[in-house]
Amino acid sequence: MYEQFWLKEADQRRKMAGVKAAVGLVVGVALAYRFDLSPPVVGLLLGLLVGAGDLFWNWWSHDATAVWRGKRRGEVITGKLLRRRLRKQGYQILEGRAVPGKASIDHLVIGPGGVWVVDNEAWDPETEIARYGDRLFLGEKYGTKVAQALVEVAESLAEVLSRESGIPITIEPLLAVHGGIIRRSVTAEGLTLLKPRLVARWILNGPRAEFDESQVEVLTRTAARVLRRMS
């Protein structure tokens, strides 16, 4: 239905872009006269910029729903962002692993600042993700089940890795949100939700531990051995 409405409204979006471009043209001409510039050049330039900007915004809004619509995979997008930002800082990223007796996780991040599990989720464009009091809300519904599931996975994995590696650790769960309405980040019920492009920054800005290179290597090797790779 979302795709059908998007295609149906394509002509209307183009018309609106044309109207906005015309307004930009008029404003550009007025500004040119005001500052003694060339009216045709300034007017045409501003009109094109406004029209192109409107079309770009519409495309970006549609592209932001690609994971929710099933056109792209959230774990692929987030994985690329994590590798690009974190590997050069000494972090290791394990993809698609299954915690013994628990659910699978999309990304396990191990580095000098600590250990994180990162999962991905997509909601429709109208879903507001927010915290009210101590509760997480996904639209009009409680987000307790979503938060509890990932928190339990993080706690179980921390217990396993601590026991198998001999290095005491805690793991912070993060959820990369594709789609929906979220203002930067939301932390509630033990879980932090944020846009995929902000996950690496969150990890780098919020260290939970101080591991040296050898400890990072031990934890990474232990995780690779203990956690089953998902196909």
Side-chain angles (χ1 to χ4, degrees):
M1 290 179 64
Y2 181 88
E3 288 283 3
Q4 291 175 356
F5 280 120
W6 172 261
L7 293 174
K8 185 177 180 180
E9 295 173 353
D11 288 339
Q12 182 64 25
R13 287 194 300 274
R14 285 192 289 268
K15 290 179 181 178
M16 287 302 301
V19 171
K20 293 176 181 179
V23 173
L25 174 65
V26 173
V27 172
V29 170
L31 289 174
Y33 279 115
R34 172 67 177 78
F35 294 101
D36 195 24
L37 301 173
S38 173
V41 173
V42 176
L44 183 60
L45 181 60
L46 187 58
L48 288 174
L49 287 174
V50 171
D54 185 66
L55 289 174
F56 175 79
W57 172 258
N58 286 320
W59 170 84
W60 183 86
S61 300
H62 184 250
D63 187 67
T65 67
V67 176
W68 172 65
R69 290 183 287 112
K71 299 297 183 181
R72 299 175 68 186
R73 295 175 59 186
E75 64 271 23
V76 173
I77 295 172
T78 304
K80 288 180 179 178
L81 292 170
L82 292 175
R83 291 191 296 272
R84 185 184 307 162
R85 291 288 307 279
L86 296 179
R87 278 187 171 171
K88 58 187 177 182
Q89 302 294 333
Y91 285 78
Q92 300 294 328
I93 298 99
L94 277 67
E95 312 279 359
R97 299 287 174 154
V99 182
K102 296 290 182 179
S104 62
I105 56 174
D106 291 332
H107 320 279
L108 175 64
V109 179
I110 303 172
V115 184
W116 289 260
V117 292
V118 183
D119 214 6
N120 294 269
E121 190 58 80
W123 285 283
D124 71 77
E126 304 301 320
T127 301
E128 182 178 1
I129 301 160
R131 170 180 175 171
Y132 295 101
D134 295 328
R135 301 296 298 273
L136 173 64
F137 282 83
L138 306 173
E140 297 180 355
K141 299 180 180 179
Y142 291 124
T144 301
K145 289 184 178 180
V146 173
Q148 186 176 10
L150 200 51
V151 168
E152 288 180 354
V153 167
E155 291 175 347
S156 298
L157 180 54
E159 182 181 350
V160 171
L161 288 183
S162 296
R163 183 179 65 249
E164 295 293 328
S165 68
I167 302 173
I169 65 169
T170 58
I171 298 180
E172 180 182 5
L174 303 175
L175 187 61
V177 177
H178 303 265
I181 302 171
I182 181 172
R183 289 172 175 78
R184 297 189 66 81
S185 66
V186 172
T187 300
E189 302 190 48
L191 176 65
T192 297
L193 303 89
L194 63 173
K195 289 293 187 180
R197 68 179 185 277
L198 300 178
V199 175
R201 184 188 304 175
W202 180 275
I203 290 173
L204 291 173
N205 291 344
R208 301 293 181 267
E210 293 183 2
F211 295 139
D212 58 31
E213 188 175 342
S214 63
Q215 289 174 311
V216 172
E217 180 68 17
V218 169
L219 287 170
T220 303
R221 288 181 178 274
T222 302
R225 173 174 56 84
V226 172
L227 304 181
R228 181 168 57 88
R229 184 187 295 274
M230 300 297 292
S231 57

